[in-house]
Amino acid sequence: KITVAGVTYNFNNVSEAGKTTTVNVSQDTDKIVDNVKKFVDMYNTLLDSLNDKLSEEKYSDYKPLTKEQEAEMTEEQIKKWNEKAKSGLLYNNSQVRTLVSDMREALYTPVDAVDSKYNSLSAIGITTTTTKGHVTLDEDKLRKALTEDPDCVYQLFASDQDSSYIAGSTNTNKLTAYEKKEDYKNTGVANRLYNAMTDNMSIFENYAGTSKATDDQSYLGKLISNMHTRMTSFQTLMKSYENKLYDKYDAMEVALSKLGAQLSYITG
């Protein structure tokens, strides 16, 4: 038994000299089915986490705590308060809804590059089962597809053609809307999902930044930076105004002192 280039050969007998030897090669169907099952489970798990954020309850009475408020609370109280305050931040968020929509479209759009009747996930047994978008696998249907067209699953997931949507592609040529649409149809499901995640994550990062960013140039990052600048300027302005009031108070004290001295001189 040896494995060469991903193919395992089992030698059952010693061939007789001059006689033809027949080699039968078949796919490891069980492993393919297991991998498709894992994909279905991971897709549903990711979809659940996104839907949970979209429907997460928002507690409008729990505002962010000030330093003074935190000083009067225990760590456990602060933790529970912040959990409530952060809950629902992505409630019905349009960008998260776009990501969910892109994920579903990636799954249900047929892959034109697959030259077979098994050119969609539904054709190999992956279909929607709930209103939340969960998918389920009909294992018998998948095995039937693999028997009739052994290469269909690989093509469905990994087909790339000459697409500019390919994961990690460096193609920067601008395409027309029609070319993008045709390009998308020829792209495999795995590549579609990868690009949906990459494109939407880029939008999220531009808006909110990431924990890894050392120089946060996101929309919220700039907003916070601008707020700090305005606060610093306002504090400087108030300090200057305070100093002017002190100067006026000191001048008034001096004037009152002189008037007191003059009054004492006159009355004396």
Side-chain angles (χ1 to χ4, degrees):
K1 179 179 180 179
I2 62 171
T3 299
V4 179
V7 180
T8 300
Y9 298 88
N10 292 289
F11 297 93
N12 300 312
N13 293 293
V14 178
S15 305
E16 294 183 22
K19 287 191 175 183
T20 302
T21 298
T22 301
V23 178
N24 295 314
V25 180
S26 61
Q27 290 191 94
D28 188 351
T29 304
D30 289 338
K31 186 174 182 180
I32 295 175
V33 172
D34 286 342
N35 284 335
V36 174
K37 284 181 180 177
K38 290 177 182 177
F39 166 78
V40 168
D41 290 341
M42 293 172 70
Y43 177 88
N44 286 336
T45 299
L46 176 58
L47 192 62
D48 281 342
S49 67
L50 293 173
N51 283 327
D52 286 345
K53 288 298 180 184
L54 284 172
S55 59
E56 189 176 44
E57 186 173 358
K58 190 169 185 176
Y59 300 93
S60 55
D61 292 336
Y62 287 80
K63 305 297 183 183
L65 294 170
T66 63
K67 295 297 182 182
E68 290 77 10
Q69 289 173 320
E70 288 184 349
E72 298 174 355
M73 301 168 68
T74 65
E75 289 187 9
E76 185 64 23
Q77 288 174 327
I78 294 173
K79 179 181 177 182
K80 290 183 177 180
W81 183 285
N82 286 336
E83 287 176 355
K84 293 281 188 181
K86 293 178 182 179
S87 178
L89 287 176
L90 293 176
Y91 176 78
N92 205 27
N93 180 272
S94 61
Q95 197 57 52
V96 177
R97 280 192 281 109
T98 298
L99 174 55
V100 171
S101 176
D102 289 347
M103 289 171 59
R104 292 180 178 178
E105 184 181 3
L107 257 65
Y108 303 133
T109 305
V111 181
D112 290 353
V114 180
D115 186 18
S116 166
K117 66 179 182 180
Y118 300 109
N119 67 340
S120 67
L121 291 188
S122 60
I124 65 170
I126 299 178
T127 54
T128 305
T129 57
T130 68
T131 54
K132 289 187 176 182
H134 281 186
V135 294
T136 186
L137 171 65
D138 184 335
E139 191 173 322
D140 292 335
K141 200 170 182 178
L142 174 59
R143 290 184 182 277
K144 182 175 182 294
L146 288 169
T147 300
E148 295 182 3
D149 187 355
D151 199 38
C152 67
V153 173
Y154 172 78
Q155 290 184 25
L156 261 176
F157 281 90
S159 178
D160 56 31
Q161 296 297 297
D162 295 322
S163 174
S164 64
Y165 282 83
I166 304 310
S169 171
T170 56
N171 186 351
T172 56
N173 295 329
K174 291 185 177 181
L175 302 177
T176 64
Y178 174 79
E179 288 173 330
K180 286 183 178 180
K181 186 176 180 180
E182 292 302 306
D183 215 17
Y184 184 85
K185 290 180 180 178
N186 287 317
T187 305
V189 173
N191 284 326
R192 288 176 183 171
L193 287 172
Y194 176 90
N195 289 298
M197 298 298 169
T198 303
D199 292 343
N200 281 281
M201 279 303 299
S202 177
I203 295 173
F204 290 140
E205 290 174 8
N206 288 336
Y207 180 77
T210 66
S211 59
K212 297 179 181 179
T214 54
D215 184 16
D216 190 353
Q217 292 299 306
S218 67
Y219 170 78
L220 291 183
K222 290 178 179 178
L223 196 64
I224 293 172
S225 179
N226 181 53
M227 190 63 71
H228 280 302
T229 300
R230 291 175 61 188
M231 288 173 63
T232 301
S233 298
F234 183 71
Q235 288 173 340
T236 301
L237 179 65
M238 291 304 295
K239 189 66 178 177
S240 175
Y241 181 66
E242 181 184 49
N243 289 334
K244 287 182 179 179
L245 290 178
Y246 277 128
D247 290 341
K248 289 182 178 180
Y249 181 80
D250 290 342
M252 183 180 67
E253 286 288 315
V254 172
L256 288 173
S257 178
K258 289 182 178 179
L259 286 174
Q262 291 174 357
L263 180 61
S264 297
Y265 175 76
I266 294 171
T267 55

